Amino acid sequence: MAFVNLMQSTAGRAVRAAAGLVLVAVGLILGGGWLALAVIGLLPLAAGVFDFCLLAPLAHQPIRATHGPRP
């Protein structure tokens, strides 16, 4: 639950976007079969850019971050 709260924060958004960028860059640099890694990297990149967390429903949290205080 703490991990999901972290990933829904502003810092978590930056981490998701950065991780996606790294995966895309590595996949494009290595090429070949590694291009699949670049395609997979688009998911965390989109999650960071559009501010949603796919792990949140597993912890009964909203998929979109509220960025406010949590009860």
Side-chain angles (χ1 to χ4, degrees):
M1 179 98 144
F3 179 73
V4 172
N5 287 337
L6 171 68
M7 285 293 110
Q8 284 189 319
S9 69
T10 304
R13 181 180 185 183
V15 168
R16 290 190 308 266
L21 280 174
V22 168
L23 290 173
V24 169
V26 169
L28 292 176
I29 289 169
L30 295 177
W34 290 98
L35 288 176
L37 187 64
V39 172
I40 292 169
L42 293 175
L43 183 62
L45 180 60
V49 170
F50 296 113
D51 198 17
F52 62 89
C53 180
L54 294 175
L55 297 176
L58 298 174
H60 304 287
Q61 299 282 335
I63 197 164
R64 303 233 10 136
T66 58
H67 296 294
R70 300 195 190 281

